[in-house]
Amino acid sequence: MAKFLNTSAINYFLEELIKGASERLILISPFLKINDRIKELLEDKNRLKIDVRLVYGKNELQPEEINWLRELSFIRTSFCKNLHAKCYLNEEGCIITSLNLYEFSQINNNEMGVFFSRSEDVEVYRETYEEAQRIIRISDEVRMSLEKVSKDLPIKALKKVKIKEKELDVSPEESIPGEKLTSYKFAKKLGISTQELLGKLVECGYLEEKEDKHFITESGKTAGGEFRMGKFGPYFLWPESLSLAGIS
């Protein structure tokens, strides 16, 4: 039977949900700014090699938090446009709530939610899980790639931190001058996924992949490709007329 949760109960059940995950964990939240307690729990899931999917709609991460996520290989992060749902589930239970996975909300806001289990609310759990999977499918997976930075660095110094030339694909609405497109928009124009496009760019020699990260090549730069840093992180730009001829 479903349980009503107030703010403190949501935080308690959320921690228990994360701790109890032994196979999978899905965290869906428009806003993302993770407190230290949740970070500790997620780090433990990563050590246990639990499959964790983290889906968000607006990025509030600071550089040190991006680096924290980058080091957790079993936590996959995805960006979902127009996301408003807040849903947290493991293989045995689920919380649907007004609470974002956002430190300020967990401390300051008045929130409500419900918890239900897979064993007692079979149909509700199944429908929620299927919808969570749909949201994951329409999201673009993000691979964090900022260099390691110190949280003690002043804001001005952060601007000088070296950034690897790696596509994050999290800025689909980025305003781009001229006729160049982000990988997200270029893929959308071609009717393929961003990951498919990145594969084709590697085949063409415009990108190279090292240790599961993409880097722009000299050929890519000559063809008009560019590496940029936006408010959501680094990304690539490509001329709208870029040819991928001969690549199936």
Side-chain angles (χ1 to χ4, degrees):
M1 180 180 295
K3 298 179 177 67
F4 170 78
L5 307 176
N6 60 18
T7 307
S8 59
I10 296 168
N11 284 300
Y12 171 78
F13 271 82
L14 177 58
E15 289 191 11
E16 291 301 304
L17 191 82
I18 296 173
K19 284 192 291 185
S22 59
E23 297 176 11
R24 60 176 175 270
L25 177 66
I26 300 174
L27 305 174
I28 298 173
S29 171
F31 291 94
L32 190 61
K33 192 169 186 181
I34 305 170
N35 66 39
D36 290 341
R37 175 60 178 168
I38 299 298
K39 283 183 178 179
E40 288 178 2
L41 295 175
L42 291 176
E43 286 170 358
D44 187 50
K45 296 295 105 172
N46 186 72
R47 283 190 289 269
L48 294 171
K49 299 182 180 180
I50 306 301
D51 180 30
V52 179
R53 294 303 303 258
L54 186 58
V55 183
Y56 66 96
K58 292 181 174 60
N59 195 340
E60 295 289 330
L61 292 180
Q62 298 299 311
E64 60 268 23
E65 291 177 294
I66 294 176
N67 280 316
W68 171 77
L69 274 172
R70 180 188 173 214
E71 295 171 357
L72 304 178
S73 57
F74 286 89
I75 297 182
R76 291 184 289 169
T77 310
S78 300
F79 174 83
C80 183
K81 180 182 176 183
N82 298 326
L83 180 67
H84 198 259
K86 298 98 175 175
C87 177
Y88 313 110
L89 66 145
N90 64 17
E91 66 276 3
E92 296 297 337
C94 176
I95 299 170
I96 294 180
T97 176
S98 61
L99 179 74
N100 284 290
L101 196 60
Y102 191 82
E103 189 171 23
F104 180 89
S105 300
Q106 292 176 284
I107 297 173
N108 298 282
N109 290 354
N110 293 306
E111 308 282 356
M112 290 192 295
V114 292
F115 170 84
F116 50 90
S117 69
R118 180 182 182 181
S119 59
E120 295 181 355
D121 301 278
V122 178
E123 190 64 18
V124 176
Y125 180 90
R126 182 188 63 79
E127 292 178 353
T128 304
Y129 178 75
E130 288 178 354
E131 179 62 14
Q133 290 295 321
R134 186 192 69 83
I135 289 174
I136 291 172
R137 287 196 299 272
I138 65 172
S139 302
D140 289 308
E141 189 167 343
V142 177
R143 294 175 184 175
M144 302 298 179
S145 64
L146 283 178
E147 290 290 344
K148 185 72 174 178
V149 297
S150 168
K151 63 181 179 181
D152 298 322
L153 282 175
I155 293 176
K156 289 183 179 179
L158 289 177
K159 296 179 181 178
K160 299 179 181 179
V161 174
K162 180 183 178 183
I163 306 296
K164 289 185 178 179
E165 295 180 339
K166 168 68 179 62
E167 174 68 60
L168 283 192
D169 302 319
V170 295
S171 47
E173 301 304 316
E174 188 85 33
S175 177
I176 305 301
E179 297 182 351
K180 292 190 177 181
L181 305 175
T182 61
S183 298
Y184 175 91
K185 289 187 176 180
F186 194 19
K188 191 173 182 179
K189 177 189 173 187
L190 297 175
I192 59 177
S193 71
T194 306
Q195 291 304 313
E196 286 179 293
L197 174 64
L198 293 177
K200 292 180 182 296
L201 291 168
V202 170
E203 289 184 64
C204 288
Y206 299 143
L207 292 177
E208 60 180 344
E209 190 170 7
K210 296 179 181 178
E211 298 181 353
D212 205 32
K213 298 179 177 66
H214 289 94
F215 299 82
I216 193 167
T217 64
E218 289 302 318
S219 295
K221 294 176 182 178
T222 301
E226 297 180 32
F227 167 75
R228 291 287 184 88
M229 184 65 184
K231 62 181 179 180
F232 293 117
Y235 59 95
F236 296 121
L237 293 179
W238 306 101
E240 191 170 4
S241 59
L242 182 69
S243 174
L244 300 177
I247 303 298
S248 59

